[in-house]
Amino acid sequence: MKTRQIERTRLVPHTVDGITEMVLDKELIEVPAPPRDWDQLVRTGVTVGAVVLVTASLAWTTTSIGDLLSAVTVSAIAYTAAVAFDASWIMCMAVEWLLRYDPERANTARRAGRWALAVSMGAVFAHGYLMADTWVIGAVGAVVSGLAKGGWWMAMRVHARPLDPRTQQWVAKRRAAVDGQLALIPIRRELQRGQALVEAEQRALGAAADPGSADPDQSGQSADDPDADPQPSASGPMTIKDAVRTALDSGIREPDRVLAYVRKVADANARADTVSRYIRLAG
C-alpha cells in the first residue's frame, strides 16, 4: 500500500525551571495515499485540449480573415475586426455553459453559436479559395474552427450534470423567484427616486403658496400673543394621526404645539409619545 507523509501539530506540555506551558509539537506521520483519480485526470486533459483547440482556432481565424480584410482596409483594423468572427461563437459557448441549467435560454445561445461558427468558417473558406485559387485549402482552413468548437462541446459534455425533469422544474421555479427579487431592486430604487422628486416638487409648490404674505398689516397683533399664530381649521372628527398631519401641513412644527392642537381637535387625552411617534413618521 502506498503511503504519504503529512505534518500533524498538537499541544504538548513542556516544563522549564519547574514552569509548565502547553506548546506546539510538530511530527510527520505516514497515512495511506488515496488512489489516483484517473477520471479527473482525463477530464482535466480534455478541458486543456479544448482550450488549446479554441486558442489555435482563434489565432488561425484571426490571421486568415485579417489577411482577407486587409486588402480593403488598414491592417490593424482588419485584424482587430477578424477577432470578432471566432470570438462570437466562443462567447456563445460560454453563455451556453453558464445557462446549462436553463435549457430554454441555453438553446438560444446554442443556435446563435452555430450561426456564428458558420459565418466564421465561410470567411476562412473565402480567404483560402481567393488566395490559393483552390477550394481544398479553403475547406481545410475552415474545418479548424469546426474542430475547435467540437472539442469544446465535448469538454462541456464531460463537465455537464444533467437534471431529471422534476429537479429541472424545481430549479426553474427557484430561479424565477430569486430573479424576481433581483429585478425588483432597481425597480424599487427607480420608484423611490421618482417619489423623492414628487415630494420635492410638492414641497417647492407648497413653499411658493405659503400664506406668509397674506395680510401685510400686522400692527394690531402682538409678537407675544399666542393667538396671533395661525391655527389649522378642524373640519369634523379627526384621528390623532390626521390631526398631527394637519398641524404639520399648517406649519406647526413644535411638538408641544402639535400636542396641544391634537388634544384640542382630536383627543383630549392624547399621549405625548404617541404624537411624537406620528411626527417622526410624517417627517
Side-chain angles (χ1 to χ4, degrees):
M1 178 184 295
K2 292 184 178 181
T3 61
R4 61 190 179 96
Q5 288 187 338
I6 62 172
E7 185 179 75
R8 186 176 67 177
T9 303
R10 59 177 180 172
L11 288 173
V12 296
H14 182 66
T15 304
V16 176
D17 293 337
I19 301 176
T20 302
E21 295 288 352
M22 301 298 292
V23 298
L24 290 176
D25 179 56
K26 297 181 180 180
E27 62 176 344
L28 295 176
I29 61 174
E30 290 191 354
V31 297
R36 188 179 297 274
D37 190 351
W38 290 105
D39 289 348
Q40 182 60 35
L41 290 176
V42 173
R43 187 179 293 111
T44 302
V46 170
T47 304
V48 173
V51 172
V52 172
L53 284 176
V54 170
T55 304
S57 173
L58 181 62
W60 170 254
T61 302
T62 301
T63 302
S64 299
I65 301 178
D67 185 43
L68 179 65
L69 297 178
S70 62
V72 294
T73 187
V74 181
S75 296
I77 299 177
Y79 284 94
T80 301
V83 175
F85 284 82
D86 261 10
S88 57
W89 63 261
I90 293 173
M91 183 178 66
C92 289
M93 286 196 310
V95 173
E96 182 183 349
W97 170 255
L98 293 175
L99 300 177
R100 61 191 180 278
Y101 298 123
D102 192 344
E104 183 176 354
R105 297 169 65 191
N107 286 335
T108 303
R110 187 179 300 111
R111 288 193 297 269
R114 290 171 181 171
W115 281 104
L117 176 64
V119 171
S120 178
M121 293 177 66
V124 174
F125 175 81
H127 171 263
Y129 182 77
L130 294 175
M131 296 301 175
D133 198 20
T134 174
W135 66 269
V136 175
I137 295 179
V140 172
V143 169
V144 174
S145 295
L147 292 175
K149 181 173 175 60
W152 191 256
W153 180 77
M154 293 300 297
M156 291 172 60
R157 296 282 292 178
V158 168
H159 291 278
R161 297 292 183 269
L163 301 177
D164 61 89
R166 290 188 175 183
T167 304
Q168 184 65 58
Q169 294 179 44
W170 183 90
V171 171
K173 289 181 178 294
R174 292 300 303 163
R175 179 182 287 113
V178 175
D179 288 346
Q181 295 176 4
L182 292 175
L184 286 176
I185 293 176
I187 293 175
R188 290 196 184 99
R189 188 179 295 119
E190 180 182 357
L191 292 176
Q192 290 174 356
R193 286 197 298 265
Q195 185 62 36
L197 291 175
V198 171
E199 293 176 354
E201 180 72 11
Q202 291 176 344
R203 287 195 297 269
L205 293 176
D210 194 331
S213 59
D215 184 7
D217 186 10
Q218 303 290 335
S219 58
Q221 297 180 353
S222 171
D224 298 331
D225 186 4
D227 295 334
D229 295 331
Q231 292 291 332
S233 60
S235 57
M238 303 177 67
T239 63
I240 295 177
K241 183 178 180 180
D242 292 339
V244 170
R245 184 173 296 278
T246 301
L248 294 176
D249 292 343
S250 301
I252 301 176
R253 299 295 177 181
E254 295 79 1
D256 293 339
R257 294 182 57 200
V258 174
L259 177 61
Y261 175 74
V262 170
R263 288 178 175 175
K264 178 180 179 182
V265 301
D267 186 353
N269 298 319
R271 296 175 54 182
D273 57 344
T274 301
V275 173
S276 299
R277 183 173 68 255
Y278 283 132
I279 292 175
R280 290 194 301 271
L281 292 175

